[in-house]
Amino acid sequence: MTGDGYPVELGFTSGGGEAIRYTVECAGPEVEPCLRLDLALAACADAAGMAWPGEIVDRLRQAQAWGRLEYGTWISGRHGPEGDAFKLYVEVPAGGSPAAEAWARDVLGDAPLLPSGTPMLRMIGVDAAAARIELYYRAHGLQPWEVRRLLGRLGLASQADALLDLVEALAERSATERLPFAQSGFSLSLPLDLQPGAEAVCRVEKSSLKSGASAAPSAADAISACGASLDAFDASAATYVCNTSVGYPVDSVAASAHITSAPAVFSLFAPARSVIGPDGLVRQRLLDIAARRGWPLRHYAAVSAPLADRLRARPAYHGLLSFIVAHGAPPQLHVGLRPPPFPQRK
C-alpha cells in the first residue's frame, strides 16, 4: 500500500470535517491477492452490515479473473459524526481486464476518454452505501488540455481553471502548457445506476456559431445532427442544454454531449514527492496553503509533525496528492500519509 509496505495510510482533506479517514490492507501478506476481495466484502459486512449487491460482486470478481494481482483489494474507511462509511479499492490486473473495461464502457459510454493514447484502468472503487463507482486510470504524461477534456466529459469544464490553479499553488510551477509532474493518473466517479439517455450539456465551439439571429439555428443544426433535442441556449457561454436519448457521449464535428445529470466527481492525482518534493517540504507547503485558504488541516499538522525537518526524498511518507473537482464546490485537496514514527520518549 505504501512505499515501504506499511499496511495503513491515513487520509486528510481540505474539505474539513472531523472524520477519520484511512485505507488499510484487508489481510496479512500470507493471503494471496486473489482471495482478498471476498475477505474485504465480509469485513465490511461485519463492520457496517453492508449488503453488497450480487451483480456488483460478480462484476468485481470477473474484473480480477484475467491476470496476476499485486495487492488485490484494499478497504477505505471514514468515521465521523454522520456515521461510518466504507469503500473498496479493487485492483485491475496490470495486463488489463476485458471484464473491467466492459464495465467502464457501460458507465462512461464507448467514446475514447482521450483522443491520443489509451489510459490504463488500474483500479475500481466501489461505495455500496453511496451507490457509486470510481474508475482509476494511470495516465503518465497527462497534459492540461487533456484534463480539461476529461472535466468537460463530466460537465465540470467550468472548474478547469480553478483545478489547474490549485495544482500550480502546490507545485509552485506553471500548469498552463504542461502539468508540473510526469507521474499522474485520474479517476472518474459516477453513480452505479447511471444509464445512457441521461441529461447532457451539448457545447458548440464559439467559432462554429454565427453572430446575431442566425446563431441559434446554426448551432441547433449541429446538435440535431448528433441526435440531441434543443432545450435552451445560453448565448454568453455558447452552450445549449439538451436531452439526448441516443446514449452518451454524443459526438460530431461541431458538438459534443457531456454527462451532467449525475453528481460526477473528477480527481487528478500524483505522488506528493513528484509534485512538491521530500516530506518536510510537502508538509510546509500544505500547511502554508491551508493557512492562506482556510483549510482545516489541524489533524494533519499534528500527525505529520515528525516530518517537519525531513528533507530526504526517500522513503517518502506522503503518498498521493489528489486534486478533486465536484459540482457546486471549489476544488479540494486530499493527501495520503503513511503514519510516521513518533520520536521515542527518553
Side-chain angles (χ1 to χ4, degrees):
M1 175 175 299
T2 64
D4 64 349
Y6 200 77
V8 179
E9 183 179 76
L10 302 177
F12 303 91
T13 177
S14 65
E18 295 297 318
I20 297 172
R21 295 174 171 85
Y22 57 85
T23 303
V24 296
E25 297 277 5
C26 63
E30 72 280 2
V31 178
E32 291 292 330
C34 61
L35 302 177
R36 297 186 181 190
L37 173 58
D38 286 338
L39 292 177
L41 291 167
C44 290
D46 290 342
M50 297 176 64
W52 295 88
E55 179 184 357
I56 300 303
V57 173
D58 289 343
R59 299 198 78 159
L60 291 173
R61 287 173 177 157
Q62 292 167 11
Q64 290 196 328
W66 293 84
R68 179 178 175 273
L69 301 173
E70 294 183 4
Y71 60 87
T73 306
W74 294 326
I75 299 174
S76 174
R78 185 179 72 249
H79 309 281
E82 69 281 4
D84 304 327
F86 296 95
K87 178 179 178 180
L88 296 187
Y89 292 118
V90 180
E91 180 185 9
V92 174
S97 167
E101 291 158 7
W103 196 3
R105 288 193 299 273
D106 289 344
V107 174
L108 297 172
D110 292 327
L113 284 173
L114 297 173
S116 58
T118 303
M120 182 178 295
L121 180 61
R122 295 298 293 118
M123 188 169 69
I124 299 173
V126 179
D127 184 338
R132 295 187 70 86
I133 183 172
E134 189 166 9
L135 304 170
Y136 291 82
Y137 292 87
R138 179 178 297 167
H140 295 336
L142 195 66
Q143 299 300 313
W145 69 267
E146 293 176 310
V147 173
R148 292 180 182 277
R149 179 185 176 93
L150 291 166
L151 286 168
R153 179 75 174 266
L154 299 177
L156 295 166
S158 62
Q159 300 206 50
D161 287 343
L163 172 64
L164 295 175
D165 285 347
L166 182 56
V167 170
E168 290 187 352
L170 266 294
E172 293 191 346
R173 286 168 285 169
S174 173
T176 302
E177 299 296 330
R178 56 178 295 179
L179 294 178
F181 40 81
Q183 293 179 281
S184 63
F186 63 88
S187 72
L188 312 172
S189 173
L190 292 163
L192 280 164
D193 60 352
L194 184 63
Q195 297 295 328
E199 181 185 353
V201 173
C202 288
R203 304 186 186 279
V204 181
E205 295 295 331
K206 289 186 178 181
S207 60
S208 72
L209 296 176
K210 298 179 181 179
S211 61
S214 61
S218 173
D221 289 343
I223 292 174
S224 176
C226 65
S229 61
L230 178 63
D231 286 344
F233 177 59
D234 180 349
S236 63
T239 300
Y240 281 89
V241 179
C242 65
N243 289 304
T244 174
S245 59
V246 296
Y248 62 81
V250 181
D251 290 313
S252 72
V253 174
S256 62
H258 306 289
I259 305 163
T260 58
S261 62
V265 179
F266 173 83
S267 298
L268 170 68
F269 51 84
R273 67 174 182 272
S274 68
V275 179
I276 300 174
D279 288 306
L281 185 58
V282 173
R283 181 178 187 272
Q284 177 183 340
R285 189 79 52 80
L286 288 177
L287 293 181
D288 286 347
I289 293 178
R292 294 199 301 269
R293 300 196 175 201
W295 292 348
L297 289 183
R298 62 186 183 90
H299 295 316
Y300 165 78
V303 174
S304 64
L307 304 176
D309 298 323
R310 186 179 179 85
L311 298 179
R312 291 179 295 171
R314 294 181 181 276
Y317 285 86
H318 288 88
L320 294 178
L321 291 179
S322 299
F323 304 89
I324 303 169
V325 176
H327 287 277
Q332 295 186 7
L333 182 74
H334 180 94
V335 58
L337 181 68
R338 184 262 204 226
F342 275 75
Q344 294 183 352
R345 294 181 179 179
K346 295 182 179 180

